[in-house]
Amino acid sequence: MTIVGASARAAAYSAVRAGFSVQAADMFADVDLRRVCVAHRVTDYPTGLATAITGAHTGGWMYAGGLESHPLLVERWARVRPLWGNRADVLRRVRQPHLVANVLRRAGLRAPAVRLDPPTPIGDGKWLCKGLRSCGGSQVAVWDGNLPAGLDARDCYFQQFVDGPSCSAVYVAARGDAALLGITQQLIGARWCGAQGFRYCGSVGPLEVSHAITDQFIAIGKALAKEFDLVGLFGVDAIFNSIGVWPVEVNPRYTASIEVIERASEIRAIELHVNACQQGQLPTARSGTAQGQAAKAVLFASRRLVVPKSVSSLSDQPSQSRWPAMADIPAPGTVIEPGWPILTVLAAANSQREALEALQRQATVVRATLGETTD
């Protein structure tokens, strides 16, 4: 199978663990990705990804993060090879925030208010300004009357701010139905990751919530799958508080938090994805049993870096280990600008606190190797 996206590493590793032969194309073709599959780095993202799809390889293809904002490309490439994922017409509808909010409300579920015209920053309460093509919180800011840098008024919307922890639910969908695979807590703007604002920088889970909250998440997935004809893996970012669950975004593809759920619950997400896309099959019961907590964190650069040769020591993992401590490892000589991702650290432990502590220890090792700091 072929996997393309801004970063294909997590999905490619998931596919390899599930027994698939993989080729991948993304913006990085990192050292560890090239170890498990044929990997291509594209400099003209996203159009350059076409080379991996239109080449000599056969079989299905799927996309990871970023391509949900490019339905024209998805539509074009789906004519060349079988698409294992959501069609372009599905992407066009499910990426309309006001439409998603209306669907959820009609199903008797909660959703933050959404508007396309700018609210009054003080009189209308607290709002967020978001890019319609935002990914990972990179174009999200509290609305103060000024658009975030680089964001045009025609390419943004406004969403009511809801206070509470940020989480992400993972589903697999087929034939108008969906199964909940797990829920993770998101790390947003964590300083020790080098992130700011609403930038996504990691996940830890599975998150244990009440039966009432779980039921709300299940109902959210089913309502979205039925209305939008979703297929395969998808995620819902949400806020939950004492009132309930407030979905804020739908990610209709393999999401960043899936590998956390995979590790903690020992499920094979890509196998579930392909079964859903090809046969319309859903797991008959909740897949996997959580064994402790798993976590990941993306580290961002605080200054311009040129990756040294010593970075190779970070990728030396025991041969028997299925799960590395570090991933998305850049090749020596790679230039990383301020605010760009450096690499990902991963951990597993008995508790969320222990998992997060392990991530922070690994982050310290990475920054010491690179001569980097977040101070």
Side-chain angles (χ1 to χ4, degrees), residues 8-195:
R9 193 274 312 166
Y13 263 63
S14 176
V16 169
R17 286 193 297 270
F20 289 91
S21 175
V22 179
Q23 75 149 344
D26 65 10
M27 298 173 64
F28 308 100
D30 286 321
V31 171
D32 49 328
L33 177 61
R34 294 198 303 268
R35 286 179 175 174
V36 299
C37 68
V38 176
H40 308 277
R41 178 176 177 268
V42 299
T43 56
D44 52 345
Y45 175 88
T47 55
L49 298 172
T51 302
I53 297 170
T54 59
H57 290 267
T58 59
W61 70 279
M62 62 175 283
Y63 50 85
L67 277 181
E68 68 272 16
S69 296
H70 300 278
L72 280 175
L73 293 179
V74 171
E75 185 174 47
R76 183 184 307 161
W77 297 338
R79 300 191 192 107
V80 178
R81 299 257 302 276
L83 169 63
W84 294 343
N86 288 294
R87 306 182 310 270
D89 61 306
V90 174
L91 298 181
R92 292 187 180 99
R93 296 186 67 233
V94 80
R95 293 293 287 177
Q96 296 184 46
H98 64 282
L99 182 55
V100 170
N102 290 339
V103 167
L104 292 170
R105 292 195 192 99
R106 286 201 304 269
L109 300 163
R110 297 172 184 82
V114 172
R115 55 192 296 176
L116 296 179
D117 57 310
T120 303
I122 298 177
D124 291 340
K126 191 173 182 180
W127 291 77
L128 299 177
C129 178
K130 294 185 170 185
L132 286 167
R133 293 190 175 190
S134 67
C135 184
S138 59
Q139 291 184 322
V140 181
V142 175
W143 174 242
D144 61 359
N146 299 300
L147 291 174
L151 194 60
D152 188 276
R154 295 168 296 180
D155 297 323
C156 69
Y157 68 100
F158 303 90
Q159 188 177 68
Q160 176 190 10
F161 176 82
V162 177
D163 193 23
S166 179
C167 61
S168 180
V170 175
Y171 305 86
V172 60
R175 298 181 179 177
D177 197 6
L180 176 66
L181 300 181
I183 307 165
T184 64
Q185 182 169 332
Q186 292 186 317
L187 305 180
I188 303 295
R191 183 178 177 184
W192 62 270
C193 291

Side-chain angles (χ1 to χ4, degrees), residues 110 167 169 171 180 183 207-220 239-246:
R110 297 172 184 82
C167 61
Y171 305 86
L180 176 66
I183 307 165
L207 186 63
E208 294 184 3
V209 297
S210 67
H211 290 300
I213 294 294
T214 299
D215 289 344
Q216 289 179 51
F217 274 111
I218 291 173
I220 289 166
I239 302 295
F240 75 95
N241 53 27
S242 59
I243 299 175
V245 180
W246 301 81

Side-chain angles (χ1 to χ4, degrees), residues 256-310:
S257 62
I258 288 178
E259 66 179 331
V260 169
I261 294 297
E262 284 187 287
R263 183 171 188 174
S265 302
E266 296 187 346
I267 65 172
R268 293 184 173 182
I270 296 297
E271 182 177 292
L272 297 179
H273 177 75
V274 173
N275 287 344
C277 294
Q278 286 195 300
Q279 283 85 41
Q281 294 180 353
L282 292 180
T284 56
R286 186 74 172 271
S287 297
T289 301
Q291 303 290 332
Q293 295 280 299
K296 66 182 290 186
V298 182
L299 306 184
F300 295 90
S302 62
R303 61 178 178 85
R304 189 175 189 268
L305 297 172
V306 178
V307 177
K309 292 182 179 180
S310 57

